[in-house]
Amino acid sequence: MESKKEEKLHIVMFPWLALGHMIPNLELAKLITGKGHHVSFVSTPRNIQRLPKLSQNLAPLIKFVNLPLPTVQNLPQNAEATTDVPYDVVQYLKKAYDALEEPFTRFLESSKAHWLFYDFAPFWAPSVASKFGIKSAFFCVFPPSCMGFFGPPSVIMGNDPIRTKPEDFTVPPSWVPFPTTVAFRYFEIKKIFDSIYDNDSGFSDAYRFGATILNCDIVVIRGCTDFQPEWFQVLENIYQKPILPVGQLVSTELDGGLFGETWQWMKDWLDRQKHGSVVYVAFGTEAKPSQDEVTAIALGLEKSKLPFLWALTVRRGPWDPDVLRLPEGFEERTRGCGIVCTSWVPQLKILGHVAVGGFLTHCGCNSVVEGIQNAKPLILLTFWADQGLIARVLEEKKMGYSLPRDERDGSFTSDAVADSLRLVVVEEEGRIYRETIKEVKDLFVNKERQERYMGGLLNYLLNHL
C-alpha cells in the first residue's frame, strides 16, 4: 500500500466561466501536476480552447473535460464565458452553468477523484461530490480581504440586520477587529448592489457565495499570509473551517504562442520609448468603461503628454449593442505618441518591458498580480465587482493611486486622468508608488514561498482523504 507521501491525488477543478477564474485555476492545476498529481479540468469546449497550451511535461497530467453548455433562453448561441456577453446577460450564463449539474454529476461519478475544487457559482457541486465520497474545496480566486469584508456565510446570504442598503457597505464591518479602509466607495457598491442580491439565474450571487462556503470541507484561497495575515485570521474566525493559502499564482504563460506578430510590432514601438515612460492601459476581459469614461481616459492620455499603449475592449462579445468609440481626431492627434489596440494583447510581455512605467488598471485580481510581478506602479480605476475592495488594499499599502472621482456617480475628468498618470509615472510626489511596488514584488514572486504553500496544501489534501 502506498504511503501518504507516495500516493497520487486526483483533483477535479470546476471553475466559473470567466477567464479571471479559469486562468488562476489553470495556474494552480499546473503547480499541483508539477508535483506528479493528476487534475481533471472541467469546462465548456470554447473555454478550454481559449486556455494557454500546456508544456509537454504537464500535458499528460491535466485532462480537459468538455461539458457542452446547455441552451437557455436569452443566452446567445456559442456564448460560453462572461467575456462573450454584456453584463446584463451574465445571469443567463449562470443559469446555463447550473444546467451542467446533471452531466457534471455523471462525470464525477466515474472520475475516481479524491477532491473537488469548485468555484463560487456551482454551490450545488459539493453535495454532488459527497454522494461519491469526494471531498470538496471552495477554491476562491478573490483576495482574503474581499471575502473577509463580505462576512460569514449567513450574513452573505442575507441574514444581515445591519447592512441593508448600499451606504452600509461604505464602512468596514464589525467583525473586522483592526483599523482598515477596506470598504466600497458609494459609486462602487451602488453599481453592483442589485445584481448581488437579485438576478434572473434563479439564485443571487450572495446566495451562491454563502452556500458555497457553508457546504465545502475547506477553503483554498488565492493569497499570501505574509501579505495579508490579518485578513486570513478574519476568514478563520468567520468561516470556522480550514483556510489554506496557495500564494498569488503569478502567471507563467507569456502568450501561449498566439501573439508573435502582434508582439513584434509592439516590442519594436516600446523599444523606441524611454525606460519607464510608457503608460499601459488595460481593463481585463470583463471590465468595460462607459462611452463617457472612454472619452475622459482618451483625452486624459492626450493631456498627460506621456506615451501610452491602450488595450481597449470596445464591446463585450458580438452581442453587445454598445460599441465604444474614441473621441474624434484622437488617433490622429496622438499618432506616434500612443497606440490603441482593440484586439487581444500579450499583457505579460507588455508589462515586462522596461519602457512601461505605469499601469492604469481596473484592479482585477489577475491584472494586479501581473502588474506587481513586473514591479509596475498602479493607477487604479475600478469598474465592477470586488475591484473597489482590492483598490483599498493597494491604496493602504501605497502600491497604487486611485484616480479622483465623484463619490456618488463615479465620474471623473480628463484632467484627473492626466494628473494621476503623471503623478505615478514621472513626478517626485509619486515616487512612493514606484518604490513600494518594487519592495512588495517579492511577496508575489517568490518560488520558495510558493513551494511552501503548495507543500502545505498537498499534505493537507493527502492527510484528509
Side-chain angles (χ1 to χ4, degrees):
M1 193 168 178
E2 287 183 306
S3 71
K4 287 289 184 190
K5 272 197 169 179
E6 293 169 339
E7 190 170 354
K8 296 304 179 186
L9 292 164
H10 177 202
I11 297 171
V12 172
M13 305 189 82
F14 190 36
W16 165 232
L17 306 178
L19 284 169
H21 292 243
M22 289 183 278
I23 294 297
N25 269 268
L26 185 61
E27 291 297 333
L28 180 57
K30 285 154 62 177
L31 291 171
I32 291 169
T33 52
K35 300 299 182 184
H37 302 285
H38 294 264
V39 168
S40 291
F41 192 104
V42 183
S43 193
T44 65
R46 286 192 70 208
N47 286 322
I48 288 173
Q49 290 171 7
R50 286 179 163 118
L51 296 172
K53 302 304 177 196
L54 298 173
S55 60
Q56 287 186 338
N57 62 314
L58 294 181
L61 298 173
I62 300 180
K63 175 188 176 186
F64 290 106
V65 179
N66 286 281
L67 294 184
L69 195 66
T71 301
V72 301
Q73 192 174 4
N74 298 320
L75 182 67
Q77 192 174 5
N78 295 324
E80 295 186 12
T82 53
T83 190
D84 293 331
V85 294
Y87 288 129
D88 60 343
V89 180
V90 171
Q91 55 192 329
Y92 306 112
L93 189 65
K94 291 190 176 92
K95 196 169 187 175
Y97 189 65
D98 289 338
L100 286 173
E101 181 173 356
E102 185 179 332
F104 181 74
T105 300
R106 289 198 301 271
F107 161 72
L108 214 55
E109 184 175 16
S110 61
S111 69
K112 297 183 180 178
H114 299 106
W115 282 86
L116 166 65
F117 279 36
Y118 70 110
D119 214 323
F120 83 97
F123 61 94
W124 40 264
S127 62
V128 173
S130 66
K131 292 177 186 175
F132 310 120
I134 300 170
K135 296 253 185 175
S136 61
F138 168 34
F139 174 39
C140 180
V141 302
F142 301 96
S145 48
C146 295
M147 299 306 295
F149 176 84
F150 281 113
S154 61
V155 168
I156 296 174
M157 295 170 81
N159 300 321
D160 187 348
I162 297 173
R163 297 194 299 191
T164 59
K165 54 187 184 300
E167 290 85 348
D168 301 330
F169 288 81
T170 61
V171 293
S174 58
W175 53 82
V176 177
F178 48 83
T180 181
T181 60
V182 173
F184 286 105
R185 292 166 72 176
Y186 178 80
F187 66 86
E188 291 168 338
I189 186 62
K190 187 70 174 71
K191 195 171 185 179
I192 65 172
F193 187 77
D194 291 340
S195 65
I196 290 176
Y197 292 103
D198 184 33
N199 64 64
D200 286 343
S201 73
F203 300 93
S204 69
D205 283 356
Y207 180 86
R208 290 177 190 274
F209 268 108
T212 291
I213 297 161
L214 276 177
N215 296 334
C216 67
D217 292 301
I218 62 172
V219 175
V220 175
I221 190 162
R222 181 184 195 175
C224 172
T225 51
D226 296 309
F227 183 63
Q228 293 187 312
E230 70 281 17
W231 284 105
F232 275 95
Q233 187 58 57
V234 168
L235 292 187
E236 288 188 8
N237 295 342
I238 63 179
Y239 290 174
Q240 294 292 299
K241 56 181 63 183
I243 311 292
L244 283 77
V246 291
Q248 304 290 1
L249 301 177
V250 297
S251 299
T252 55
E253 297 289 340
L254 287 180
D255 63 11
L258 300 174
F259 304 108
E261 291 182 12
T262 302
W263 170 239
Q264 190 55 58
W265 67 257
M266 284 185 175
K267 182 180 182 299
D268 291 344
W269 183 83
L270 287 166
D271 287 345
R272 296 194 295 271
Q273 312 306 315
K274 291 181 181 177
H275 283 202
S277 66
V278 175
V279 176
Y280 174 55
V281 183
F283 306 126
T285 56
E286 295 196 43
K288 180 192 169 190
S290 68
Q291 182 59 62
D292 286 345
E293 288 167 340
V294 164
T295 300
I297 293 164
L299 297 179
L301 285 167
E302 188 177 351
K303 288 178 180 179
S304 76
K305 305 296 184 187
L306 294 170
F308 63 87
L309 199 167
W310 185 0
L312 174 61
T313 300
V314 296
R315 66 197 305 192
R316 279 178 57 118
W319 299 278
D320 186 350
D322 300 317
V323 181
L324 299 173
R325 288 175 172 77
L326 294 166
E328 189 175 347
F330 170 77
E331 291 178 279
E332 290 76 15
R333 295 192 302 272
T334 58
R335 184 167 285 119
C337 177
I339 294 172
V340 178
C341 188
T342 56
S343 58
W344 196 272
V345 300
Q347 178 160 295
L348 270 179
K349 285 190 171 184
I350 294 168
L351 286 170
H353 198 283
V354 294
V356 174
F359 181 15
L360 177 56
T361 174
H362 62 308
C363 299
C365 198
N366 287 346
S367 289
V368 166
V369 169
E370 290 175 0
I372 295 169
Q373 78 182 81
N374 287 288
K376 304 303 182 186
L378 307 171
I379 306 97
L380 315 175
L381 183 60
T382 63
F383 292 102
W384 193 250
D386 60 332
Q387 295 161 12
L389 301 178
I390 294 173
R392 297 302 93 74
V393 172
L394 298 171
E395 293 164 4
E396 279 188 352
K397 296 179 180 292
K398 299 296 182 185
M399 295 162 63
Y401 175 79
S402 281
L403 197 147
R405 304 170 74 167
D406 182 278
E407 285 299 322
R408 300 301 292 179
D409 64 13
S411 61
F412 54 91
T413 65
S414 56
D415 287 335
V417 174
D419 293 345
S420 299
L421 296 179
R422 294 197 60 82
L423 170 74
V424 172
V425 177
V426 296
E427 291 177 1
E428 183 61 29
E429 190 183 345
R431 179 181 293 275
I432 188 169
Y433 303 107
R434 301 191 289 274
E435 292 180 347
T436 302
I437 208 77
K438 293 174 185 174
E439 295 166 5
V440 173
K441 176 181 174 178
D442 184 64
L443 290 176
F444 284 67
V445 187
N446 183 298
K447 289 186 178 180
E448 289 180 9
R449 184 179 290 109
Q450 185 66 69
E451 283 285 314
R452 188 171 75 243
Y453 287 136
M454 288 309 300
L457 172 66
L458 294 171
N459 284 338
Y460 185 96
L461 298 179
L462 285 164
N463 289 327
H464 292 80
L465 291 178

